[in-house]
Amino acid sequence: MDSNPDSGPSQLPTALPIKIQGLTKKYGSMYALDSVDLDIKSGEFLTLLGPSGSGKTTLLMAIAGFNRPDAGSIRFGDEEMILKAPHQRGVGMVFQSYALFPHMTVAENIAFPLKLRGVAAAESAERVDTALATVQLSGLGDRDIDQLSGGQRQRVALARAFVFRPRILLMDEPLSALDKKLREQMQIELKHLHEQLGVTTVYVTHDQREALTMSDRIAVINEGKLTQVDTPHVIYNRPANAFVADFIGESTMLPLTANESGGLQFDDHLIAHDHAGDAGSEWSLVIRPERLFVIGDEVIDPEKTVVFPGVIREFVFQGDTAFALASIGEQHNLSFRFGTDSSSSQDTLHPGDSISLGLHRSDVIIIPRDRKP
Ligand code: ADP
Ligand code: MG
């Protein structure tokens, strides 16, 4: 009999929640992680998104047990992990560099974690076959690693990470070495694989579109601090601060000032009627380029729509969409984007034209004004 409790072929592992509290990691005097609190739900696909050097890998490695934080706690379920070695944590890991064993075949690579755990040969062979089928590499078990393409290698690395049925799967920029087309295909495949395995997954990327595509929730990290943790929808539509608004998607920011009656103004445009800001306090209006529209002959209800009169400065056709820049007032520009189907205004916009741009009040995003670092 196999003594490994989770090795029965029909048994699915139970996913585990991860609770991170006050996690701090310093390199010299630099905080790579600065008091990070993060609750990851059981079975969730959570993406850590941030620019290069923001602390993503440091956080992932701390969860895996490959680095020792200076302070804080990491719990899997009820169990404190902070002092445990990587092999005691039972996490599956996929790296950007694949980290496959070049002298082993595909099947031997995938079987490696099973061998470490003492799984019997017959069962191991069966699980490797299932894992190969899951990543669509059936029949390639006897190949050498150097006979595989980049995409196939990444699938082998994935299969090796989940073949032992970890309750937590960690992936550090696993698709960044692939070309755009394959990367987009693999994003969808990984999402399906996650649904199939039901395993709690922490995924690292610096690619905001990838994060929006794949995640249940996104944790945005900057300089070792989490700046917002929320669903892709909320992160995009309700960014909490200038960093998130700027890093995720395209946006224009206009300066707002609170007036005496608590409304927010941009020049003489009233953007919001009542806002909690003290008179004179400074805010920013975040405008997504695809939320602006050119107003034609239609009647506009100013209660529902903010109207910006402007002059077209640039117009660029980009295939599926067109991009335009309009100046509004003396000092500000608004960029906007629209579809290029035959009903759009692409043929009627030229530099120098006066136009009116509309923004539905429900698309108004207001954030505290940030002094740019
Ligand atoms: P990311 O994965 O988001 O690109 P990292 O977690 O790798 O960022 O790094 C966060 C910060 O910590 C960076 O400033 C990086 O230079 C620094 N850092 C990472 N690992 C080490 C190390 N072993 N020694 C010194 N500094 C490090
Ligand atoms: Mg990294």
Side-chain angles (χ1 to χ4, degrees):
M1 283 305 282
D2 194 329
S3 60
N4 192 335
D6 71 355
S7 64
S10 61
Q11 254 176 288
L12 278 174
T14 327
L16 274 180
I18 305 174
K19 190 172 189 69
I20 296 169
Q21 285 177 303
L23 200 70
T24 297
K25 173 75 182 169
K26 282 165 77 173
Y27 290 113
S29 60
M30 196 269 301
Y31 283 83
L33 296 176
D34 190 353
S35 203
V36 168
D37 295 325
L38 180 60
D39 275 314
I40 304 168
K41 296 170 197 160
S42 180
E44 180 171 41
F45 194 115
L46 181 123
T47 297
L48 278 174
L49 172 67
S52 173
S54 57
K56 305 181 296 293
T57 296
T58 304
L59 181 50
L60 206 70
M61 290 302 171
I63 298 172
F66 291 117
N67 70 36
R68 179 67 58 86
D70 297 295
S73 150
I74 300 173
R75 271 180 284 160
F76 293 174
D78 295 330
E79 203 179 346
E80 180 58 63
M81 289 290 149
I82 206 88
L83 295 174
K84 297 209 183 220
H87 71 271
Q88 296 174 301
R89 302 191 186 196
V91 303
M93 184 101 213
V94 184
F95 303 91
Q96 174 183 354
S97 60
Y98 314 147
L100 296 170
F101 306 114
H103 55 284
M104 294 184 193
T105 65
V106 166
E108 285 165 350
N109 263 279
I110 299 174
F112 188 76
L114 300 175
K115 202 168 165 185
L116 281 185
R117 287 166 177 78
V119 175
E123 157 132 24
S124 171
E126 196 180 311
R127 283 220 220 162
V128 168
D129 276 349
T130 309
L132 277 170
T134 307
V135 296
Q136 299 174 35
L137 290 179
S138 288
L140 298 191
D142 293 333
R143 290 267 180 99
D144 287 329
I145 295 301
D146 61 11
Q147 292 175 285
L148 302 181
S149 70
Q152 290 172 324
R153 285 178 205 204
Q154 194 50 281
R155 285 165 209 256
V156 175
L158 250 176
R160 189 182 59 180
F162 68 74
V163 72
F164 64 99
R165 300 184 186 138
R167 291 175 301 176
I168 291 167
L169 192 56
L170 305 176
M171 295 191 250
D172 194 354
E173 314 229 12
L175 306 182
S176 56
L178 306 178
D179 64 43
K180 184 168 181 285
K181 215 165 180 170
L182 185 56
R183 198 163 69 232
E184 287 173 355
Q185 180 194 335
M186 287 290 290
Q187 287 168 4
I188 305 296
E189 284 183 25
L190 273 180
K191 211 173 136 100
H192 290 321
L193 180 68
H194 170 257
E195 283 158 15
Q196 205 178 324
L197 298 173
V199 59
T200 308
T201 300
V202 187
Y203 187 95
V204 163
T205 184
H206 64 271
D207 179 339
Q208 46 103 7
R209 187 170 283 279
E210 185 164 294
L212 292 169
T213 303
M214 301 181 73
S215 321
D216 293 321
R217 285 191 307 156
I218 298 171
V220 183
I221 184 168
N222 184 33
E223 295 178 344
K225 292 193 182 76
L226 295 186
T227 68
Q228 188 172 7
V229 183
D230 229 312
T231 61
H233 195 83
V234 173
I235 292 273
Y236 188 80
N237 289 312
R238 294 282 168 252
N241 52 57
F243 178 79
V244 175
D246 201 40
F247 192 67
I248 290 131
E250 297 172 64
S251 58
T252 304
M253 287 188 217
L254 296 179
L256 301 179
T257 306
N259 62 25
E260 293 300 327
S261 46
L264 293 183
Q265 307 253 155
F266 164 69
D267 290 348
D268 51 2
H269 300 285
L270 183 61
I271 303 297
H273 295 285
D274 47 9
H275 194 268
D278 294 332
S281 62
E282 295 186 323
W283 305 80
S284 293
L285 169 63
V286 179
I287 303 178
R288 300 298 194 191
E290 76 282 4
R291 303 289 160 91
L292 286 168
F293 54 94
V294 178
I295 298 170
D297 302 331
E298 65 271 31
V299 179
I300 294 296
D301 176 357
E303 286 298 314
K304 293 195 174 131
T305 304
V306 186
V307 179
F308 298 99
V311 177
I312 296 288
R313 296 297 171 198
E314 264 183 69
F315 177 82
V316 183
F317 175 74
Q318 292 179 320
D320 55 344
T321 55
F323 169 87
L325 194 70
S327 57
I328 54 165
E330 300 274 289
Q331 316 174 17
H332 297 282
N333 289 319
L334 281 181
S335 57
F336 61 105
R337 193 174 275 294
F338 48 89
T340 49
D341 60 281
S342 51
S343 67
S344 80
S345 36
Q346 56 171 319
D347 295 331
T348 57
L349 291 182
H350 304 284
D353 287 353
S354 292
I355 51 153
S356 284
L357 288 172
L359 175 71
H360 294 304
R361 290 195 185 272
S362 55
D363 286 332
V364 162
I365 303 168
I366 294 163
I367 58 171
R369 181 102 56 95
D370 233 43
R371 268 148 211 73
K372 284 266 157 156

